[in-house]
């Protein structure tokens, strides 16, 4: 790769502020970028907007030996910053290109920008219109599945050469695992992510009940904060025949996540719509067989190594979980599953971003030279 020497701004607010989701994406992306061989040729300006806590500050950021990085914290409220005079100048000062993780924040004025699209709002909604406008104006949009690329092209005015596909990174928990995983005597069916209706937690519980009704011993381990389905899920759990075999960790501790995932036996991941295969691949990295909804992003990445089920068919979910638990206790099967996820590294993700960014930065440099 050849660098441009031009400064790249990144909305880094969520990096130190949130462990999962967009926080992990921006945190691990930057961590990988600063370790590329030509990192010094692409100085980074990490912009943090807001007054929120930063629980991931310090070692999890991996920035101790990153001389080509400047962190800029703007302590005005993030929601109000668009209305503040001069806010865009403070955000983008010294940046030739800015990478956004939200379509409408922070304000960046006329600075060219790229947009990460890990989630795609429904077309026809206000959020969908905001995203379509932002992606149409972006110098590039970066997506994490071929399906997402096609959907962005269909919903926006972006050209095909402006929508770039990057592999998701999955090696963070493997890197942070301080000791070989301990195989628990209780076989855990792991469910990751906030308890939201879109993640079908009630259907996950029904499928697990079907598994237990078949006589198979296991535990359902949910790791995720309460979301919009937390109340209905709690009600269903209180009435569940399998409630004694269900554990819900409502406040995940990021430091314990590597051992939690590596020590499980299988992953159950039901969802209405996701534009990235990151959650199944994170679990596969540790050898967990995956039972999941047959979403295009999942099928593209997992192929024949995924077990595809209809979330509303509890019997089918239960049967697939039984097979996944058996596979999860077979060392050779776990190794084959892990091999599928190994190419999905944060370095590969960072390199794909650089391939999108560098031509834009060169264009900025050429335009400046010609003026």
């Amino acid at each position: 790769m050849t660098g441009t020497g031009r400064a790249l701004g990144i909305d880094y607010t969520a990096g130190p502020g949130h462990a999962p989701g967009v926080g992990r994406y921006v945190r691990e992306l930057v961590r990988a970028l600063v370790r590329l061989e030509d990192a010094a040729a692409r100085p980074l300006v990490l912009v943090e907007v807001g007054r929120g806590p930063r629980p991931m500050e310090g070692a999890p950021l991996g920035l101790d030996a990153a001389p080509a990085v400047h962190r800029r914290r703007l302590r005005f409220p993030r929601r109000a910053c668009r209305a503040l005079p001069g806010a865009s100048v403070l955000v983008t000062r010294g940046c030739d290109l800015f990478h956004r993780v939200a379509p409408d924040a922070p304000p960046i004025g006329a600075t060219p920008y790229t947009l990460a699209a890990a989630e795609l709002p429904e077309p026809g909604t206000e959020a969908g219109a905001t995203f379509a406008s932002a992606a149409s104006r972006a110098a590039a949009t970066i997506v994490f599945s071929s399906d997402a690329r096609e959907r962005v092209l269909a919903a926006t005015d972006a050209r095909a050469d402006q929508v770039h596909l990057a592999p998701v990174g999955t090696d963070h928990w493997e890197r942070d695992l301080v000791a070989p995983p301990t195989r628990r005597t209780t076989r855990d069916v792991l469910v990751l992510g906030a308890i939201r209706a879109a993640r079908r937690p009630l259907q996950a519980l029904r499928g697990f009940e079907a598994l237990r009704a078949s006589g198979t011993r296991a535990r359902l381990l949910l790791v995720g904060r309460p979301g919009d389905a937390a109340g209905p899920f709690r009600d269903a759990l209180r009435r569940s025949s399998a409630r004694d075999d269900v554990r819900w960790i409502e406040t995940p501790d990021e430091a314990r996540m590597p051992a939690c995932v590596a020590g499980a036996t299988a992953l159950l991941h039901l969802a209405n719509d996701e534009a990235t295969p990151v959650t199944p691949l994170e679990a596969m990295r540790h050898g967990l067989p995956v039972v999941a909804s047959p979403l295009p992003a999942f099928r593209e990445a997992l192929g024949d190594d995924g077990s595809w089920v209809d979330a509303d068919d509890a019997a089918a979910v239960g049967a697939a979980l039984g097979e996944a638990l058996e596979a999860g206790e077979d060392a050779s099967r776990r190794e084959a599953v892990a091999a599928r996820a190994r190419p999905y590294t944060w370095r590969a993700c960072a390199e794909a971003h650089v391939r999108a960014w560098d031509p834009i930065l060169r264009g900025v440099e050429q335009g400046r030279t010609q003026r």
Side-chain angles (χ1 to χ4, degrees), residues 192-337:
L192 294 173
I195 305 302
R196 297 186 290 112
R199 286 282 182 90
R200 313 300 297 274
L202 296 178
Q203 287 75 12
L205 179 60
R206 299 290 177 252
F208 180 72
E209 288 170 345
L211 173 73
R212 289 292 293 113
S214 72
T216 302
R217 293 290 302 173
R219 179 175 67 163
L220 184 64
L221 177 60
L222 303 104
V223 184
R225 297 186 181 279
D228 60 6
F233 180 77
R234 286 194 178 96
D235 291 341
L237 183 57
R238 279 194 293 267
R239 299 189 303 269
S240 175
S241 59
R243 61 184 177 276
D244 292 339
D245 296 312
V246 178
R247 183 188 179 197
W248 176 14
I249 300 175
E250 298 186 32
T251 54
D253 180 350
E254 184 63 20
R256 297 183 179 182
M257 287 300 295
C260 177
V261 176
T265 308
L267 177 80
L268 175 60
H269 194 67
L270 306 178
N272 288 338
D273 178 39
E274 292 189 15
T276 165
V278 62
T279 302
L281 286 171
E282 285 174 325
M284 290 179 70
R285 187 92 186 186
H286 292 280
L288 274 64
V290 171
V291 176
S293 300
L295 302 181
F298 295 174
R299 297 191 74 118
E300 176 186 354
L302 277 61
D304 294 338
D305 287 319
S307 179
W308 312 114
V309 294
D310 177 352
D312 292 315
D313 188 340
V317 174
L321 286 176
E323 294 177 1
L325 289 171
E326 292 300 317
E329 293 187 314
D330 183 324
S332 62
R333 295 282 296 278
R334 290 180 69 93
E335 172 55 30
V337 166

Side-chain angles (χ1 to χ4, degrees), residues 91-150:
V91 169
T92 62
R93 185 177 68 249
C95 301
D96 296 285
L97 179 66
F98 197 86
H99 184 54
R100 302 176 91 170
V101 296
D104 56 351
I108 57 173
T111 302
Y113 69 91
T114 58
L115 175 64
E119 296 182 359
L120 299 181
E122 185 176 350
T125 63
E126 182 178 351
T130 299
F131 171 81
S133 175
S136 297
R137 291 181 286 108
T141 298
I142 298 175
V143 298
F144 304 92
S145 68
S146 297
D147 174 65
R149 184 175 187 274
E150 295 305 314

Side-chain angles (χ1 to χ4, degrees), residues 17-50:
H18 302 280
V22 67
R24 176 168 292 114
Y25 160 71
V26 73
R27 184 169 62 250
E28 294 293 344
L29 173 64
V30 168
R31 186 178 184 131
L33 286 169
V34 301
R35 285 164 174 77
L36 297 179
E37 288 76 8
D38 63 345
R42 196 178 303 98
L44 299 180
V45 179
L46 306 182
V47 181
E48 302 163 52
V49 180

